[in-house]
Amino acid sequence: MKYTFPENFLWGAATSSYQVEGGVHNDWTQWEQSPQRLRDIEKDKFLKKYPKENYISGQAADHYNRFEEDFALAKELGHNAMRFSIEWSRIEPEEGYFSKKGLKHYKKVLETLKKQEIEPFVTLWHWTLPIWLAEKGGWQNKETIEHFARYCEKVVESFGENVRFWITLNEPEIYAGMAYLAGTWPPQKRSPITYLTVLHNLAKGHKRAYEVIRETNKNIQVGIAKNNFYFEAYENRLINHIPKKIADWWWNDYFLKQIKDHQDFIGLNHYFHMQFKKGLPSNENKKTSDLRWELHPGSIFHTLEGLRKYKKPVYITENGLADARDEKRAWFICETVKNMHKAIERGVDLRGYLHWSLLDNFEWDKGFWPRFGLIEVDRQTQKRTVRSSAKFYGEICKRNGIDE
């Protein structure tokens, strides 16, 4: 059987600045070496398995200096789209001061993508903050809404003619939950009230940025990258349906409904399936990634179906797995693509797939050891090696589909 995708479907991969660029100075790099962070590593049996260097981003994948090489590899693999993020701290290292060097760098990045005929999806905020803004309270402070709008306006004015797709925020609910509810990420606070405040400010920040960006250029498309789960009620029983409905309402739909009149497309980040059995989460975990996340590629179909009610174009802006030995990635991509095709046949307006990630990167609080890349990166030499799964995915990109 052939699974052929619509004409002009976009295929590619994604990255984020902090995770791949290296040589950056922001609230996360400051946190990496803080006494509190080092104590947390020492206390955690799992984190202690790896040397402390694993948790220092440093040069990361040195993508800041090697982006031309990396985009050339993406082009060879048949990619026609690329998601990357702009590092706010490079653009506005001091309040109100916009760096010509920072703007010049990303202009060159976009020119390189244009030369390679690769469509850019540009994320304006992928979790990191300039030091000056973090010291003001970050997203806990409502003033950040206007700071963010000003930054977005400057960036879009500078690059708007070369970018059709702008992503304002990456996974706002993940960031708010990990930083202000679980207290795992900087600034490591644990307060339900602060968590809700941050989530509210992020929604207002997106809406304000949307207005500013659309005023700058009416023809560009603006959305967010939203992390949605597939929540499943085991055997369709009422006891399992109740938590599923609550989870769908809060996790999948609440934020999207807050911004429903301020988005031109939905960017979907999808990694997780959660089955409720006897009212409690209970996954079978038949196959898992190196991070022990369940691999359930069929869940992307249901997650896409859940977005149909918004009547917006959908682009999958992240989807992938940590797989250092490259044993499951090709299978995972194959099954995911089949389920994407099924969703399109059912009427979902899906227009693109951006695999996470183009490169092995620095995986936030986990550090370097999880390997998400289509392209392997040697931490010592920065040598790039194209994985076999990347070549398999490359054939899908080139053919605009897959044969059974």
Side-chain angles (χ1 to χ4, degrees):
M1 180 176 175
K2 287 188 175 182
Y3 298 84
T4 303
F5 281 72
E7 190 178 354
N8 300 319
F9 195 84
L10 295 174
W11 299 98
T15 62
S16 86
S17 55
Y18 167 71
Q19 293 179 268
V20 296
E21 285 184 348
V24 69
H25 182 56
N26 56 36
D27 63 328
W28 278 79
T29 58
Q30 191 175 67
W31 173 74
E32 286 169 16
Q33 304 192 52
S34 67
Q36 184 175 5
R37 170 61 171 159
L38 296 173
R39 282 196 301 270
D40 287 346
I41 293 169
E42 284 298 318
K43 289 178 185 175
D44 192 303
K45 290 180 181 179
F46 184 77
L47 296 180
K48 279 175 69 175
K49 288 177 19 180
Y50 301 94
K52 288 181 181 177
E53 306 87 73
N54 176 72
Y55 304 103
I56 306 298
S57 57
Q59 287 305 113
D62 197 30
H63 181 67
Y64 185 85
N65 296 307
R66 297 170 181 256
F67 65 87
E68 290 171 298
E69 172 190 354
D70 295 335
F71 294 159
L73 287 171
K75 183 66 175 179
E76 286 175 23
L77 291 168
H79 298 193
N80 60 13
M82 177 74 208
R83 179 186 171 205
F84 73 95
S85 73
I86 288 177
E87 176 59 43
W88 190 347
S89 65
R90 293 194 194 276
I91 301 299
E92 193 179 5
E94 299 172 23
E95 184 177 354
Y97 167 71
F98 293 97
S99 166
K100 290 181 181 178
K101 180 183 177 183
L103 292 166
K104 184 178 179 182
H105 171 76
Y106 289 110
K107 183 179 181 183
K108 190 175 180 183
V109 169
L110 286 163
E111 287 172 349
T112 303
L113 287 170
K114 188 174 183 179
K115 187 178 178 181
Q116 295 282 12
E117 297 181 323
I118 296 175
E119 184 80 57
F121 281 69
V122 181
T123 308
L124 287 156
W125 181 73
H126 201 124
W127 295 349
T128 59
L129 294 170
I131 298 294
W132 64 266
L133 188 56
E135 289 175 348
K136 284 175 171 281
W139 285 105
Q140 187 179 342
N141 184 344
K142 65 181 181 180
E143 290 178 11
T144 298
I145 295 164
E146 287 305 318
H147 289 308
F148 182 59
R150 181 182 62 187
Y151 154 70
C152 291
E153 184 175 29
K154 182 67 175 180
V155 171
V156 175
E157 281 179 348
S158 301
F159 309 132
E161 72 280 4
N162 288 324
V163 182
R164 281 200 300 158
F165 299 100
W166 293 94
I167 295 167
T168 56
L169 308 174
N170 181 72
E171 298 184 346
E173 70 297 331
I174 293 280
Y175 171 79
M178 294 298 286
Y180 293 93
L181 198 58
T184 306
W185 293 352
Q188 289 193 280
K189 295 189 177 181
R190 292 183 177 90
S191 165
I193 293 172
T194 307
Y195 159 70
L196 292 172
T197 298
V198 168
L199 209 57
H200 178 69
N201 286 343
L202 284 163
K204 292 185 75 173
H206 165 79
K207 289 191 277 192
R208 185 75 184 93
Y210 178 89
E211 292 166 355
V212 166
I213 294 169
R214 292 305 301 270
E215 284 172 12
T216 304
N217 187 331
K218 302 289 185 188
N219 298 317
I220 56 184
Q221 302 286 294
V222 184
I224 67 167
K226 175 70 175 66
N227 185 305
N228 273 20
F229 284 39
Y230 167 43
F231 296 107
E232 180 183 9
Y234 180 71
E235 292 185 344
N236 237 5
R237 293 184 178 178
L238 181 62
I239 192 173
N240 302 320
H241 251 299
I242 293 170
K244 169 188 161 50
K245 288 289 185 184
I246 294 169
D248 277 331
W249 165 74
W250 177 250
W251 188 264
N252 287 340
D253 292 322
Y254 179 79
F255 199 93
L256 286 174
K257 286 181 178 177
Q258 293 292 305
I259 65 167
K260 63 183 174 66
D261 297 324
H262 293 80
Q263 57 180 346
D264 304 312
F265 67 89
I266 296 172
L268 170 65
N269 290 5
H270 178 66
Y271 294 95
F272 300 110
H273 158 251
M274 184 180 289
Q275 178 180 256
F276 289 104
K277 194 173 185 179
K278 296 181 180 178
L280 298 171
S282 178
N283 286 7
E284 293 180 349
N285 294 328
K286 290 179 180 178
K287 288 189 178 183
T288 59
S289 72
D290 294 349
L291 280 168
R292 299 177 186 172
W293 297 355
E294 184 189 38
L295 300 177
H296 193 278
S299 68
I300 202 157
F301 165 75
H302 300 281
T303 309
L304 288 166
E305 280 268 277
L307 295 176
R308 192 161 54 172
K309 59 180 173 284
Y310 292 101
K311 298 179 181 178
K312 300 285 183 183
V314 178
Y315 297 88
I316 296 168
T317 42
E318 283 187 35
N319 174 251
L321 66 160
D323 182 18
R325 294 182 179 179
D326 204 32
E327 295 172 334
K328 302 170 183 175
R329 191 174 285 106
W331 161 81
F332 181 82
I333 291 171
C334 178
E335 295 303 312
T336 296
V337 167
K338 290 178 188 176
N339 279 282
M340 287 159 46
H341 190 271
K342 181 181 174 183
I344 292 172
E345 286 187 321
R346 296 285 184 91
V348 177
D349 188 8
L350 178 62
R351 300 187 185 184
Y353 176 79
L354 302 172
H355 187 81
W356 185 270
S357 174
L358 180 66
L359 304 164
D360 283 342
N361 57 35
F362 186 78
E363 186 57 28
W364 304 102
D365 59 311
K366 306 294 189 301
F368 284 108
W369 75 265
R371 298 298 183 123
F372 278 88
L374 292 166
I375 298 169
E376 180 182 355
V377 179
D378 186 302
R379 276 191 61 201
Q380 305 306 317
T381 65
Q382 297 292 354
K383 180 185 175 184
R384 272 66 168 146
T385 303
V386 176
R387 290 190 163 106
S388 61
S389 59
K391 296 173 184 176
F392 172 79
Y393 176 52
E395 288 303 309
I396 295 174
C397 300
K398 292 169 186 173
R399 294 179 184 181
N400 194 33
I402 191 171
D403 295 341
E404 181 74 67

